[in-house]
Amino acid sequence: MTKRFITTDAELRSAMLIGAPVDIWMGDHLCEENQMISSYSTSAIQSNNSYYLRPNVQIVRKDIHP
């Protein structure tokens, strides 16, 4: 299993539609692990009833196989 950072709207939409598990990081702090993205906008992401500002987080998709 490899990790891939999600940065574009297309990648967010894909992860949300297929229910791919993601980790949400804010700096060195893991906010959520193996959660699905519920919704997103140009400024925020919703996961597990929590909202995160897009510029403040890194989203890592973990189900990508080489």
Side-chain angles (χ1 to χ4, degrees), residues 27-55:
D28 291 336
H29 174 72
L30 178 59
C31 299
E32 294 193 31
E33 185 175 19
N34 292 324
Q35 296 295 320
M36 290 182 256
I37 297 170
S38 307
S39 66
Y40 69 94
S41 69
T42 56
S43 58
I45 295 165
Q46 180 184 7
S47 175
N48 199 25
N49 296 323
S50 296
Y51 290 87
Y52 301 94
L53 295 176
R54 280 178 76 169

Side-chain angles (χ1 to χ4, degrees), residues 2-42:
T2 61
K3 294 192 242 183
R4 179 176 173 185
F5 289 98
I6 295 176
T7 56
T8 67
D9 285 349
E11 291 170 323
L12 282 168
R13 181 174 171 82
S14 173
M16 185 178 78
L17 290 176
I18 65 171
V22 298
D23 291 348
I24 300 176
W25 290 84
M26 191 174 299
D28 291 336
H29 174 72
L30 178 59
C31 299
E32 294 193 31
E33 185 175 19
N34 292 324
Q35 296 295 320
M36 290 182 256
I37 297 170
S38 307
S39 66
Y40 69 94
S41 69
T42 56

